[in-house]
């Protein structure tokens, strides 16, 4: 006797009213009965050449909207499933179209709240709306329709379709185009109707914010073998670029190649490429990561096997997509993963697995996405006993094809160089790239004592704005300025004294701060995560184990600092600083505060004890807020520290006033980068000091420092930030940043003035020495 067929019940994840996962799932029928918020996907296929959207006709047997024309493809996201996989699967099941993840562009999230069937069907649904952009319409006969869901498909002009919806045509499933769903048509209209000349003018204006500057250094102190090694090091650094492009977004490398290939097609194409080179992605660093390109500018890819074969048709040609909103998790996490999913997964892991999940040097992936990409399910990816879709993979595996090449170049360079400490660094870093253990190589970097100065590897975590866990690859290659380095020993020698005198409760102070070695370098070449505004110094490593045991080391890029002062800070002072204080803006103060900023990353709370007795780190507790608050701390405590060292007669009194006025001018420089980590930190300080009347905004729209109030204001902000860090107080950090990280009227006035007189925002470095070496 045959077994009776039992229909499998579909479960949906229940969301909060704001669209966050609750960790609860319920049968689909119960969700609609109870009006629970849940998730779905909408997928639209758009043909560029005809400006048409693909519609499906809902099967007559459907319980809602039978026989009406609707979205290309749509469906609920089942409990435990991801948005992107659901979008891919619905397209395959309903239309027989199989596309990879880079075809799908998330354009917005649509909330529908409605009640039908006499109150029996309550639909509170968040839908991720995806756009798939193809060059040509897909032939009707290429589709394989799921007859229980779809009875027909057709292409229709997007303008005509909008009109049908606006007129509530009964043949079409209704969507209110005068509300949120109008975004679909607005996005397509803007994308394809924009005037090329207008776009060119915008890009020219954006490019003018960067002053091209040649950065050079003397190689006279290097022998022939060191110069030969330098060529290998520049080549290794260039591979950091390749990895970084991929870390930013999965389709970023193909976008780059496409823009480069088409750079000479037109003036607009050339401008796109030039601005992309500066930002290393389609998102503009100086415009709070607003996209300056769209998927319509992206690479065209051909997929012959996307549908069933049709004679005379070569297959689907689609644009490699990227979202208009820069993904907060970059390409370190699945694009559709949220914090709750990560939390639910990571809390079920062992302690070692949790460390991997939150490590600087792992990528988080989905088993289901890997399976989909490979068209097979490989159970060997699953951790023993794991039931979750997420898993972590080491950088050494994820980027192996790149890192194996870098490792080989570094070993060869290590064999050539004359300096024993550089030899040790290069060989240990080469090993680290393949082992994923960077501890020894970071110690070697801290102990580097060589004319040739090299920083290469995964370090900063700014790109991961979801959690601030994952490190990007970067490289800085330069020649040490021995004279300037010798002059700066004072700062490293006094770190412990500064720590003991910090304006915070003594219980939070560390008694074993180690002096930070400081190296002043003339930069020859940089690569990787060096997009947009250029750093003038860095304080590494970020590994809390090393910071606790050995402290940090600092590299100051003197020729970058000099270029910024000359090109940017001087013109800012001319425009924004009150005439009587203008002469107090000088390079010595600017450069000395830069050094002190980097030193102050090494003091203050790092490893902390929470109120419940648990050991943790400031980075783990503050998560995405850590970078902005840490940059503000280093800045403001840097000012406090300079004042302390002047009072101890360790620095000249000539800095006493000039350091504050130079800092004030520097505020406008940094806030112009947009409200990223450094910009947020600077806005916080500026607005605090303005509120405390330490900075004065004059009727003639210039600014000055009130020397009677600035010392106390600097100390009070230092104490506030240090205490929040020491307590791991994320709520306190959030409230502080919300209140002070805003573009207040005085800031806006200053920035508008600087824009009107075309003061560059930053520099775009050119490296002639590296170029000539490679040639």
């Amino acid at each position: 006797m045959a077994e009776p067929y039992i229909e499998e019940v579909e479960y949906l994840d229940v969301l909060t009213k704001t669209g966050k996962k609750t960790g609860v799932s319920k049968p689909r029928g119960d969700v609609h009965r109870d009006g629970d918020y849940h998730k779905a996907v909408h997928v639209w296929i758009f043909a560029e050449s005809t400006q048409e959207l693909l519609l499906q006709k809902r099967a007559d047997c459907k319980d809602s909207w039978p026989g009406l024309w609707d979205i290309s493809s749509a469906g609920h996201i089942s409990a435990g499933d991801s948005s992107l996989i659901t979008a891919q699967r619905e397209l395959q099941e309903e239309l027989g179209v199989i596309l990879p993840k880079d075809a799908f562009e998330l354009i917005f999230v649509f909330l529908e709240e409605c009640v039908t069937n006499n109150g029996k069907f309550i639909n509170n649904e968040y839908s991720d709306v995806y756009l798939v952009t193809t060059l040509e319409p897909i032939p009707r006969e290429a589709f394989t329709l799921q007859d229980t869901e779809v009875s027909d498909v057709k292409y229709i002009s997007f303008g005509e379709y909008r009109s049908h919806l606006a007129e509530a045509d009964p043949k079409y499933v209704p969507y209110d185009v005068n509300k949120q769903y109008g975004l679909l048509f607005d996005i397509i209209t803007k994308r394809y109707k924009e005037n090329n000349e207008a776009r060119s003018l915008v890009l020219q204006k954006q490019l003018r914010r960067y002053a091209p500057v040649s950065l050079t250094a003397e190689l006279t102190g290097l022998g022939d073998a060191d110069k030969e090694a330098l060529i290998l090091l520049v080549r290794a650094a260039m591979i950091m670029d390749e990895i970084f492009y991929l870390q930013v977004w999965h389709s970023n490398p193909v976008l780059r190649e496409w823009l480069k290939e088409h750079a000479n097609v037109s003036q607009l194409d050339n401008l796109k490429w030039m601005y992309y080179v500066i930002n290393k992605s389609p998102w503009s660093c100086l415009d709070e990561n607003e996209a300056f390109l769209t998927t319509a500018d992206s690479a065209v890819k051909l997929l012959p096997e996307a549908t069933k074969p049709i004679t005379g048709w070569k297959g689907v040609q689609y644009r490699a997509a990227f979202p208009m909103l820069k993904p907060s998790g970059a390409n370190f996490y699945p694009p559709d993963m949220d914090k709750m999913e990560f939390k639910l997964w990571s809390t079920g892991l062992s302690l070692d697995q949790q460390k991997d999940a939150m490590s600087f040097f792992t990528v988080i992936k989905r088993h289901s996405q890997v399976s989909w990409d490979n068209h097979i399910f490989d159970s060997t990816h699953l951790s023993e006993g794991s039931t979750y879709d997420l898993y972590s993979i080491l950088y050494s595996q994820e980027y192996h094809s790149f890192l194996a090449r870098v490792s080989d170049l570094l070993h060869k360079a290590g064999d050539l160089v004359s300096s024993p400490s550089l030899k040790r660094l290069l060989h240990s870093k080469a090993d680290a790239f393949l082992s994923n253990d960077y501890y020894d190589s970071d110690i070697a970097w801290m102990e580097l004592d060589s004319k040739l100065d090299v920083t290469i590897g995964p370090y900063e975590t700014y790109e991961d704005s979801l959690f601030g866990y994952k490190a990007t690859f970067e490289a800085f290659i330069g020649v040490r300025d021995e004279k300037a380095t010798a002059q700066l020993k004072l700062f490293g020698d006094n770190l412990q004294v500064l720590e003991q005198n910090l304006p915070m409760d003594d219980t939070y102070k560390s008694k074993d701060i180690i002096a930070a070695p400081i190296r002043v370098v003339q930069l020859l070449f940089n690569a990787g995560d060096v997009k947009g505004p250029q750093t003038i110094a860095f304080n590494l490593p970020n590994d809390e184990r090393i910071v606790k045991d050995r402290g940090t080391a600092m590299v100051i890029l003197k020729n970058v600092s000099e270029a910024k002062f000359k090109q940017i800070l001087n013109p800012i002072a001319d425009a924004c600083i009150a005439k009587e204080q203008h002469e107090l803006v000088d390079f010595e103060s600017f450069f000395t505060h830069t050094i002190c900023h980097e030193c102050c990353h090494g003091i203050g709370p790092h490893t902390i004890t929470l109120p419940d007795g648990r050991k943790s780190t400031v980075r783990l507790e503050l998560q995405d807020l850590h970078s902005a608050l840490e940059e503000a701390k280093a800045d403001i405590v840097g000012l406090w520290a300079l004042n302390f060292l002047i009072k101890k007669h360790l620095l000249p009194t000539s800095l006493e006033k000039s350091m504050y006025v130079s800092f004030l001018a520097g505020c406008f420089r940094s806030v112009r980068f947009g409200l990223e980590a450094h910009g947020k930190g600077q806005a916080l300080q500026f607005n605090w000091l303005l509120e405390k009347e330490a900075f004065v905004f004059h009727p003639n729209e210039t600014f000055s420092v009130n020397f009677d109030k600035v010392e106390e204001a600097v100390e009070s902000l230092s104490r506030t930030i240090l205490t929040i860090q020491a307590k791991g107080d994320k709520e306190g950090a959030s409230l502080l940043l919300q209140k002070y990280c805003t573009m207040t009227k005085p800031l806006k006035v200053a920035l508008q003035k600087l824009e009107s007189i075309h003061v560059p925002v930053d520099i775009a470095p050119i490296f002639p020495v590296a170029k000539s070496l490679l040639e």
Side-chain angles (χ1 to χ4, degrees):
M1 184 174 173
E3 290 284 337
Y5 171 72
I6 300 172
E7 186 176 357
E8 190 176 334
V9 176
E10 182 183 13
Y11 276 72
L12 304 180
D13 285 320
V14 176
L15 309 179
T16 65
K17 194 170 183 177
T18 56
K20 306 296 182 189
K21 284 184 179 176
T22 62
V24 175
S25 61
K26 290 167 64 170
R28 175 174 169 174
D30 293 357
V31 164
H32 285 294
R33 179 198 68 202
D34 300 337
D36 293 312
Y37 286 82
H38 58 283
K39 284 208 82 167
V41 294
H42 293 180
V43 183
W44 294 93
I45 296 180
F46 176 74
E48 274 190 345
S49 62
T50 59
Q51 298 283 286
E52 291 177 318
L53 287 164
L54 178 76
L55 303 186
Q56 65 159 267
K57 193 173 190 181
R58 295 171 69 84
D60 291 331
C61 60
K62 295 288 287 180
D63 55 1
S64 60
W65 313 112
L68 301 192
W69 292 102
D70 199 4
I71 301 161
S72 310
S73 176
H76 284 102
I77 301 175
S78 299
D81 279 358
S82 76
S83 169
L84 189 53
I85 284 289
T86 302
Q88 291 175 282
R89 188 169 55 231
E90 290 293 336
L91 207 55
Q92 181 193 22
E93 290 176 354
E94 293 184 357
L95 304 183
V97 179
I98 305 172
L99 292 172
K101 67 180 180 182
D102 69 347
F104 294 80
E105 177 188 354
L106 180 65
I107 52 174
F108 60 93
V109 178
F110 171 61
L111 173 59
E112 182 178 27
E113 297 172 301
C114 66
V115 181
T116 55
N117 292 1
N118 297 317
K120 294 175 184 174
F121 188 90
I122 307 169
N123 194 36
N124 290 324
E125 188 171 87
Y126 280 94
S127 295
D128 288 342
V129 182
Y130 290 97
L131 187 65
V132 172
T133 303
T134 63
L135 259 59
E136 306 286 342
I138 299 169
R140 170 65 180 79
E141 57 270 29
F143 294 103
T144 304
L145 305 185
Q146 185 181 15
D147 54 14
T148 57
E149 297 284 335
V150 185
S151 62
D152 199 3
V153 292
K154 71 171 182 181
Y155 276 96
I156 182 172
S157 153
F158 81 92
E160 183 186 342
Y161 177 48
R162 192 189 190 288
S163 297
H164 285 305
L165 294 178
E167 294 161 7
D169 189 320
K171 295 190 289 293
Y172 296 84
V173 174
Y175 295 97
D176 191 341
V177 294
N178 295 314
K179 292 187 179 176
Q180 194 185 4
Y181 225 93
L183 273 173
L184 170 69
F185 303 95
D186 295 343
I187 288 166
I188 293 172
T189 301
K190 185 181 179 191
R191 193 166 287 188
Y192 292 97
K193 304 293 184 189
E194 194 162 20
N195 179 284
N196 282 356
E197 190 176 332
R199 275 195 82 186
S200 294
L201 288 171
V202 169
L203 284 166
Q204 285 170 345
K205 187 178 177 183
Q206 289 175 311
L207 277 162
R208 275 201 304 270
R209 295 178 297 182
Y210 290 92
V213 174
S214 283
L215 296 178
T216 61
E218 289 292 329
L219 303 183
T220 46
L222 301 178
D224 290 343
D226 286 333
K227 288 178 183 174
E228 196 178 332
L230 183 55
I231 296 169
L232 299 175
L233 292 171
V234 171
R235 286 182 180 152
M238 291 167 77
I239 301 172
M240 297 295 104
D241 264 340
E242 295 179 49
I243 304 175
F244 179 65
Y245 291 126
L246 185 58
Q247 289 185 304
V248 171
W249 184 246
H250 54 77
S251 63
N252 196 33
V254 295
L255 170 66
R256 180 186 182 276
E257 289 307 310
W258 178 268
L259 293 172
K260 186 179 180 182
E261 285 171 20
H262 292 78
N264 295 322
V265 172
S266 69
Q267 182 201 26
L268 176 58
D269 288 304
N270 186 249
L271 291 168
K272 287 180 198 173
W273 168 242
M274 287 169 67
Y275 200 51
Y276 177 92
V277 168
I278 287 172
N279 291 281
K280 300 196 173 189
S281 83
W283 300 287
S284 175
C285 299
L286 291 180
D287 300 294
E288 295 183 34
N289 291 317
E290 182 183 338
F292 63 92
L293 299 172
T294 73
T295 294
D297 300 306
S298 191
V300 174
K301 298 178 82 173
L302 171 64
L303 204 63
E305 65 276 15
T307 66
K308 63 186 178 188
I310 301 296
T311 305
W313 182 61
K314 56 187 176 182
V316 174
Q317 286 182 285
Y318 70 91
R319 295 272 186 191
F322 54 85
M324 290 178 292
L325 288 176
K326 189 173 189 290
S328 57
N331 195 26
F332 300 119
Y333 310 91
D336 49 6
M337 185 204 83
D338 60 19
K339 286 188 172 185
M340 176 58 81
E341 184 182 3
F342 184 89
K343 183 180 177 183
L344 290 170
W345 165 63
S346 60
T347 51
L349 300 175
S350 68
L351 284 176
D352 283 345
Q353 289 170 329
Q354 283 183 11
K355 282 181 182 174
D356 273 351
M358 292 182 273
S359 165
F360 288 126
F361 315 126
T362 60
V363 174
I364 309 302
K365 293 196 157 190
R366 290 194 186 282
H367 295 297
S368 56
Q369 190 67 60
V370 171
S371 303
W372 180 275
D373 293 345
N374 296 330
H375 298 293
I376 54 168
F377 183 71
D378 181 0
S379 61
T380 59
H381 280 306
L382 283 168
S383 306
E384 192 175 339
S386 174
T387 56
Y388 285 98
D389 195 21
L390 300 176
Y391 70 100
S392 59
I393 182 169
L394 305 178
Y395 276 11
S396 54
Q397 294 171 262
E398 178 70 2
Y399 307 121
H400 180 78
S401 61
F402 303 108
L403 294 177
R405 288 157 52 206
V406 179
S407 179
D408 183 54
L409 287 165
L410 293 190
H411 275 311
K412 286 176 178 173
D415 290 340
L416 288 168
V417 295
S418 55
S419 161
S421 66
L422 180 57
K423 194 180 286 285
R424 179 187 162 214
L425 168 64
L426 296 178
H427 286 306
S428 62
K429 190 66 77 174
D431 292 339
F433 281 136
L434 301 185
S435 69
N436 218 59
D437 183 354
Y438 288 89
Y439 190 93
D440 288 343
S441 67
D442 280 343
I443 296 292
W445 179 83
M446 290 181 68
E447 295 175 349
L448 181 62
D449 184 14
S450 163
K451 182 73 176 172
L452 198 55
D453 202 281
V454 179
T455 302
I456 186 167
Y459 285 109
E460 302 294 4
T461 61
Y462 302 121
E463 201 68 21
D464 175 9
S465 58
L466 189 65
F467 288 112
Y469 293 156
K470 307 303 174 188
T472 47
F473 284 84
E474 62 187 20
F476 295 86
I477 298 168
V479 176
R480 185 180 298 193
D481 184 326
E482 302 288 4
K483 183 182 175 184
T485 297
Q487 290 171 341
L488 299 179
K489 191 170 180 292
L490 159 81
F491 290 95
D493 289 350
N494 282 280
L495 274 191
Q496 185 64 64
V497 177
L498 290 171
E499 173 76 17
Q500 292 312 309
N501 286 278
L502 281 173
M504 67 174 177
D505 195 294
D506 286 348
T507 56
Y508 301 134
K509 294 175 182 175
S510 175
K511 293 181 173 56
D512 51 4
I513 296 291
I514 297 119
I518 305 172
R519 312 196 292 263
V520 180
V521 169
Q522 304 287 0
L523 186 66
L524 275 173
F525 189 72
N526 67 10
D529 188 2
V530 291
K531 61 186 173 62
Q534 296 295 295
T535 189
I536 51 182
F538 47 88
N539 191 77
L540 297 172
N542 289 321
D543 186 331
E544 276 90 359
R545 298 173 303 166
I546 297 177
V547 174
K548 188 171 183 291
D549 295 343
R550 302 288 298 269
T552 57
M554 186 193 319
V555 173
I556 312 285
L557 306 173
K558 191 169 186 184
N559 53 351
V560 178
S561 296
E562 288 168 335
K564 290 203 185 204
F565 185 82
K566 182 180 176 184
Q567 298 280 342
I568 301 157
L569 211 68
N570 259 338
I572 285 175
D574 289 339
C576 294
I577 302 300
K579 193 173 182 181
E580 65 272 14
Q581 292 189 359
H582 182 234
E583 64 181 21
L584 292 170
V585 178
D586 60 42
F587 179 69
E588 184 189 4
S589 300
F590 172 67
F591 189 59
T592 308
H593 180 258
T594 299
I595 296 155
C596 218
H597 168 108
E598 295 304 329
C599 282
C600 289
H601 279 305
I603 60 175
H606 288 279
T607 301
I608 57 175
T609 304
L610 299 175
D612 62 7
R614 283 186 300 118
K615 292 283 186 187
S616 187
T617 66
V618 178
R619 184 184 295 275
L620 284 177
E621 294 307 313
L622 299 191
Q623 295 184 342
D624 52 311
L625 306 182
H626 173 262
S627 293
L629 209 65
E630 176 61 22
E631 289 304 325
K633 178 207 86 174
D635 253 353
I636 202 73
V637 174
L639 268 186
W640 169 87
L642 287 179
N643 186 50
F644 178 86
L645 293 171
I646 291 167
K647 286 183 174 181
K648 293 290 181 184
H649 308 294
L650 294 168
L651 284 175
T653 53
S654 60
L655 290 171
E656 204 163 18
K657 291 184 175 180
S658 63
M659 67 178 185
Y660 292 122
V661 185
S662 297
F663 176 79
L664 170 58
C667 285
F668 305 123
R669 183 184 73 84
S670 296
V671 172
R672 294 177 84 204
F673 300 156
L675 294 184
E676 42 69 74
H678 295 81
K680 278 183 181 175
Q682 204 77 65
L684 160 60
Q685 296 165 83
F686 176 87
N687 290 325
W688 178 286
L689 294 172
L690 192 71
E691 180 185 271
K692 307 298 181 194
E693 300 177 0
F695 289 167
V696 181
F697 182 42
H698 299 288
N700 68 351
E701 298 186 343
T702 63
F703 296 81
S704 65
V705 175
N706 181 341
F707 297 113
D708 293 331
K709 295 191 175 183
V710 70
E711 185 178 330
E712 185 182 336
V714 165
E715 186 166 319
S716 66
L717 180 55
S718 297
R719 180 178 291 105
T720 299
I721 294 174
L722 289 165
T723 305
I724 285 171
Q725 290 185 320
K727 292 179 176 179
D729 180 6
K730 190 175 183 188
E731 185 182 353
S734 180
L735 290 170
L736 185 70
L737 292 168
Q738 279 173 24
K739 182 176 179 182
Y740 291 101
C741 285
T742 58
M743 280 292 181
T744 51
K745 185 187 174 185
L747 272 179
K748 286 178 181 175
V749 167
L751 299 194
Q752 285 163 4
K753 186 188 287 190
L754 296 175
E755 189 175 343
S756 68
I757 60 173
H758 304 303
V759 175
V761 177
D762 209 71
I763 62 168
I766 300 160
F767 299 108
V769 175
K771 187 180 178 184
S772 65
L773 282 169
L774 292 175
E775 287 171 350

